[in-house]
Amino acid sequence: MQHLFSDFRHGLRWFRRHSGFALGAAATLALGIAAATAAFAAVDAVLWRPLPYQDSRQLVAVFESDLTWGGARNPTSPANFVSWSESSQALGQWTAAHPWEPVLTGRGPAQPLQGLKATAQLFDLLGVEAALGRPYDPQTVGQDARVVVLSHGLWSDLFAADPQVLGTSMRLDGEDYRIAAVMPEGFAFPPFWARGARFWVPLPLSPQERARRGARFLRTFARLREGHTIEEARREMDALGDRLRREFPHDNRNIEVVVESLQEPVVENVRPALTALAGAVALILLIAAANTTALLLVKGAARRQELALRRSLGATGRRLLRQLLCESLLIALAAGLAGTVLGLAGGGLLLGYAPDLPRLGEIGLSWRSVLFAAVLSLLCGLLLGGLSALQAANRSRLSGMRGTTISRRQSRFQGGLVAAQIALALALVAGAGALLQSFANLLHLDPGLKADGLLCLQLSFPPRLGGEEPGAADRQRALMEEVAQALSGQPGVESTGFINHLHIGGDLWGMGLFPSPARGADEEEIRASVRVATPSFFTASRLTPLRGRLFDGSERPDGRRLAVVNRALARSLGGPEQAVGRRLRLGDHNDDPVVEVIGVVADVPQYDLTREVRPEIYLPYAHNPYSWFAKTWLLARIPSARPEEAAPAVRARLQEVDPNLAVGTVRSFRGLMSDNITTPRFLALLLSCLSGLALVLAMAGLYGLLAYSEGRRRRETGLRMALGATPSRILKGVMGKSLLLAGVGSLAGLLLAWLLAGYLRGVLVGVEPFSASTLLPAAATLLVCALLASLRPAWRASRVDPARTLSEES
């Protein structure tokens, strides 16, 4: 132990004497550790860390998978939920929920809020205590209870974090709800799907609702009972699904039950991106480590005389190895400290540009991140420093005393390290190129609607207009006509239209259609998304018919029911020509509405720009059978490059029409499209920055090798020039060596890129990962950069004065 302390003291003195070299090596390694620490913090928080609920690994989400619709995570009906919860032996504490977005009134202008209606077992299931009060539970919630639990953020925004808020009321959709509790800061539920929920209210299911088996709108959650596994729960729910299909074939045909860990739907969509990020950062760390190793090898060669002298004076190889390891560990520890601070600070800075990823707020400083950085630093010090220490300490005393010329083996090893850096950098540059091409493809995807000059506002109907009461649809339509008339005289507003669910940035609501008015035994169901629109929607969006015609305003509630379909649905009906005139039944009961197709329009991307467009049907608001939709989107065509500038005037006009008309999201359609591709944009930007860093590190390593090599060979170069070698030949020789290393590294990098192609396939659009269009430009970039990195060493070598060099060495 005494010798170890002595070695560290000696290492500290060496660190101070060679501070420039030591800090340079530490800075190089720190960049790799910083990137690795930031990536680990993100991956750990999002993918690995348990959800912030009690025994969260025991929580599951239970979905329906509709084989005809293709969705693996669909909601279920109240009756199916009751059957599941009453029959399951492996799962307990069942909870059902669905989003609720009421209008808050009585506290300034009407505003929409996002919340969740959930059965009374919710907070027992999660096991999270409130910061204030007590959340509702089965013992305190009755059938008609009107209580609300606030999130910490909503409590702060609406009530200025007033601790006396318990027992007071807030008016939601025209009814008073008593505030029962405030949840702790950071609490959120659900962690996927309706992640914007800021309050929770009870969802009492009446006997009539509990018997509804066809209406699917509930998301369900449960906890594994003690002694049961998720595989047992899956087998049990599979059997229960089979039983329900036999007992209720009308409502459960083609329906399977899916049981997943609650964490899986949270992270599934971001796992490919985070995996690609982790892989990129691993390559950065390898490049930084190789660079640091090369620096230590160079320093070891320069110290060969010193080490040989110490060997001749009695120092053992083991003692020299320990001494050099201590010096390497000091460099690694300095790099680890700087890298941890830089990684966590840089990660926090990047979060400001990050998209709305799940669990984003949980990414930050944690003991796990610090421990990871410490272990990584220690491993780098042992592995990388030990390699250079062994190479230097094992030199014979005689060879060390003869001089400091670099050996052929060491030269090849250092060249191999540089080639490896180039290979890793090429893989990253190619990946960044593929992501940039993918992002460019997203920017050029056809949104279906004419996006320029289109302002989109999400409106929440006043409470008196919602629900399924008789006449609700007529009252909603009257308000929309009043709004359209008021905005028709607004300066700059060319046209307006309404649609219940906007395509991009809106929602996707589906149902079964049947291509015959009367139900048949072998009738084929067509699953389609349904949108309700006014005739002016097609005018404002510039969506024109491919066949037939569109709604023209002559539709009446008591008139012939009409519909417009997209091209995807028309293909299911035999093509656009055959689709016009067809009659479709909206649902699988004989008394469901029957509509006649009058036109076909182009496919418009649904929900996001990358998913395959599904069959879709448009119904006129005059025949709206879904008056319980509490929201609609207002589209205003404004001939301006920045339609958002007209938003304040439009808002003011809406308030004049009805003060209780709440306005939520206000964005241009271009803005909604931009919001839809924030994750690909961020990933492309991030990998571009990482590939740039890799390129700089690799070129720095190449420059350092050439500069050091030519410096050590200065006498040889002078002798060659004295014997007749021209400066141009010397210049070509150095640059040729650079191109040889870059060429070898590029070939290895192409192979590495091909092996890593699968990690990016899940996040690319319209680009084959690491195809010729990305690999060849990346290789060309590396070769050009290698030439640039060799220019200064080659120029200095070609300017050597033979007479002066030989006289200095004599």
Side-chain angles (χ1 to χ4, degrees):
M1 184 63 70
Q2 181 179 357
H3 290 303
L4 186 61
F5 284 128
S6 175
D7 290 336
F8 268 104
R9 286 196 300 271
H10 189 278
L12 287 173
R13 290 196 297 270
W14 176 87
F15 199 99
R16 287 195 298 269
R17 287 197 307 269
H18 304 88
S19 58
F21 168 81
L23 291 176
T28 300
L29 188 57
L31 291 174
I33 293 176
T37 302
F40 175 84
V43 172
D44 177 54
V46 177
L47 298 184
W48 297 339
R49 196 180 303 168
L51 295 173
Y53 314 120
Q54 182 181 11
D55 297 329
S56 64
R57 298 193 188 279
Q58 303 301 309
L59 296 177
V60 300
V62 185
F63 306 97
E64 288 186 352
S65 175
D66 188 336
L67 301 181
T68 59
W69 180 245
R73 294 194 177 105
N74 296 326
T76 190
S77 64
N80 279 359
F81 165 69
V82 171
S83 297
W84 294 350
S85 60
E86 291 179 349
S87 302
S88 176
Q89 300 300 314
L91 299 174
Q93 292 182 291
W94 283 82
T95 295
H98 72 84
W100 185 39
E101 299 185 8
V103 175
L104 172 69
T105 53
R107 304 191 66 85
Q111 58 178 303
L113 294 180
Q114 296 185 49
L116 198 74
K117 285 189 173 184
T119 53
Q121 293 81 9
L122 171 65
F123 296 100
D124 283 348
L125 171 75
L126 300 179
V128 180
E129 295 184 358
L132 290 176
R134 181 183 179 187
Y136 60 84
D137 56 41
Q139 286 72 40
T140 60
V141 173
Q143 182 71 21
D144 299 320
R146 291 285 185 268
V147 296
V148 59
V149 177
L150 305 180
S151 67
H152 192 279
L154 187 60
W155 174 54
S156 300
D157 293 344
L158 291 183
F159 300 96
D162 180 10
Q164 306 301 319
V165 73
L166 298 182
T168 62
S169 64
M170 55 191 299
R171 196 162 185 80
L172 302 174
D173 270 358
E175 296 188 359
D176 290 328
Y177 281 74
R178 177 179 57 84
I179 299 174
V182 177
M183 297 306 291
E185 188 172 4
F187 173 83
F189 188 85
F192 70 98
W193 159 59
R195 292 192 293 120
R198 305 184 72 194
F199 68 89
W200 301 266
V201 299
L203 174 63
L205 295 175
S206 66
Q208 294 78 13
E209 289 173 320
R210 292 166 67 90
R212 297 175 65 184
R213 203 169 290 273
R216 291 177 154 81
F217 58 92
L218 293 179
R219 302 284 179 171
T220 55
F221 310 91
R223 180 179 290 276
L224 288 169
R225 296 185 191 273
E226 187 174 354
H228 291 273
T229 66
I230 193 169
E231 290 302 325
E232 292 174 346
R234 285 170 178 157
R235 289 194 294 269
E236 179 187 64
M237 295 305 294
D238 282 342
L240 183 55
D242 291 339
R243 194 191 84 190
L244 293 179
R245 280 195 296 274
R246 292 193 302 269
E247 294 179 359
F248 307 99
H250 180 269
D251 296 306
N252 286 296
R253 63 177 180 177
N254 298 318
I255 297 297
E256 292 184 347
V257 184
V258 178
V259 180
E260 289 185 302
S261 166
L262 181 58
Q263 189 155 359
E264 182 57 28
V266 177
V267 302
E268 183 186 56
N269 290 334
V270 298
R271 184 182 284 115
L274 288 179
T275 301
L277 171 62
V281 166
L283 298 183
I284 289 287
L285 180 61
L286 289 175
I287 293 172
N291 218 326
T292 305
T293 301
L295 288 174
L296 291 174
L297 288 176
V298 168
K299 193 63 176 177
R303 297 177 65 189
R304 193 174 304 161
Q305 283 186 330
E306 172 200 337
L307 297 174
L309 179 60
R310 293 182 63 186
R311 285 289 298 272
S312 66
L313 294 177
T316 64
R318 189 174 183 180
R319 178 65 186 274
L320 293 179
L321 173 62
R322 192 169 64 237
Q323 176 62 52
L324 293 170
L325 274 175
C326 287
E327 295 171 2
S328 301
L329 282 174
L330 287 173
I331 291 177
L333 291 176
L337 180 62
T340 303
V341 174
L342 182 62
L344 295 176
L349 181 63
L350 282 175
L351 289 181
Y353 299 93
D356 185 23
L357 297 174
R359 313 188 71 182
L360 188 64
E362 300 178 42
I363 301 175
L365 179 64
S366 68
W367 67 267
R368 293 153 68 106
S369 300
V370 175
L371 179 62
F372 170 81
V375 171
L376 186 60
S377 304
L378 181 62
L379 289 176
C380 287
L382 290 174
L383 297 178
L384 305 179
L387 181 62
S388 59
L390 281 172
Q391 190 161 356
N394 287 335
R395 297 294 177 187
S396 68
R397 289 173 289 180
L398 185 59
S399 65
M401 296 296 288
R402 284 175 180 169
T404 60
T405 57
I406 192 168
S407 69
R408 186 181 301 273
R409 178 184 294 179
Q410 186 173 357
S411 177
R412 286 200 299 265
F413 183 74
Q414 291 176 347
L417 287 176
V418 171
Q421 294 179 57
I422 292 174
L424 297 172
L426 186 141
L428 277 175
V429 172
L435 282 172
L436 288 173
Q437 285 189 33
S438 173
F439 180 65
N441 291 340
L442 282 174
L443 292 178
H444 292 92
L445 284 179
D446 183 9
L449 312 179
K450 183 174 175 54
D452 295 330
L454 195 59
L455 181 66
C456 306
L457 302 91
Q458 190 177 38
L459 309 182
S460 296
F461 291 123
R464 69 180 188 277
L465 302 186
E468 301 182 53
E469 296 83 2
D474 294 336
R475 293 192 295 271
Q476 291 176 2
R477 189 171 61 256
L479 177 61
M480 287 187 287
E481 292 174 354
E482 187 177 356
V483 168
Q485 184 176 0
L487 292 178
S488 63
Q490 189 75 19
V493 177
E494 186 176 284
S495 59
T496 59
F498 294 88
I499 188 168
N500 66 331
H501 290 152
L502 192 61
H503 295 81
I504 301 298
D507 201 354
L508 188 64
W509 185 78
M511 67 174 302
L513 306 178
F514 293 87
S516 61
R519 179 178 174 80
D522 57 348
E523 190 174 30
E524 187 68 26
E525 181 185 35
I526 301 174
R527 297 293 296 182
S529 62
V530 180
R531 304 188 192 274
V532 184
T534 61
S536 56
F537 160 76
F538 298 97
T539 303
S541 64
R542 302 291 194 267
L543 193 58
T544 57
L546 302 176
R547 289 288 187 278
R549 67 177 181 88
L550 304 175
F551 309 137
D552 57 11
S554 63
E555 299 80 19
R556 293 291 177 265
D558 55 351
R560 185 166 54 110
R561 291 183 175 271
L562 307 176
V564 172
V565 301
N566 70 345
R567 192 198 299 266
L569 179 52
R571 284 195 294 268
S572 300
L573 299 174
E577 295 83 0
Q578 288 74 23
V580 176
R582 290 289 296 272
R583 301 180 70 197
L584 303 174
R585 191 175 70 256
L586 308 180
D588 56 1
H589 294 86
N590 287 334
D591 56 350
D592 285 329
V594 176
V595 299
E596 179 184 338
V597 178
I598 61 171
V600 179
V601 295
D603 291 338
V604 179
Q606 302 148 333
Y607 197 74
D608 67 28
L609 292 168
T610 60
R611 300 187 194 184
E612 181 182 359
V613 177
R614 295 174 172 176
E616 186 164 81
I617 186 170
Y618 300 85
L619 306 175
Y621 260 111
H623 302 152
N624 180 18
Y626 314 114
S627 61
W628 41 269
F629 284 148
K631 295 178 178 293
T632 189
W633 282 86
L634 166 64
L635 276 63
R637 172 66 59 183
I638 299 172
S640 168
R642 297 182 58 84
E644 298 99 327
E645 295 175 353
V650 173
R651 275 179 175 271
R653 195 74 182 94
L654 293 174
Q655 288 298 300
E656 293 176 6
V657 173
D658 191 328
N660 291 322
L661 184 61
V663 181
T665 302
V666 179
R667 293 282 280 161
S668 69
F669 195 74
R670 284 287 183 197
L672 291 173
M673 291 176 59
S674 178
D675 295 343
N676 193 258
I677 56 175
T678 51
T679 298
R681 180 194 298 118
F682 178 71
L683 191 59
L685 173 64
L686 186 58
L687 198 58
S688 296
C689 293
L690 290 176
S691 65
L693 175 60
L695 192 59
V696 170
L697 286 174
M699 293 306 105
L702 177 59
Y703 172 83
L705 174 64
L706 294 174
Y708 176 76
S709 176
E710 295 311 312
R712 306 305 296 177
R713 297 175 59 188
R714 194 163 180 267
R715 176 181 172 80
E716 176 189 339
T717 302
L719 182 60
R720 290 178 59 196
M721 296 185 72
L723 295 176
T726 62
S728 62
R729 186 171 182 179
I730 299 296
L731 186 72
K732 291 177 181 177
V734 177
M735 298 183 72
K737 180 180 180 181
S738 173
L739 286 178
L740 176 62
L741 289 173
V744 172
S746 296
L747 289 175
L750 293 175
L751 177 61
L752 178 62
W754 180 77
L755 293 174
L756 297 176
Y759 288 99
L760 280 182
R761 185 167 280 111
V763 295
L764 295 177
V765 176
V767 179
E768 186 62 26
F770 302 123
S771 61
S773 62
T774 57
L775 291 177
L776 294 181
T781 300
L782 264 295
L783 292 176
V784 171
C785 289
L787 281 176
L788 294 176
S790 66
L791 282 178
R792 181 173 174 80
W795 175 257
R796 292 183 62 181
S798 68
R799 306 303 294 175
V800 168
D801 184 351
R804 184 177 178 181
T805 301
L806 295 176
S807 65
E808 289 176 353
E809 296 291 338
S810 60

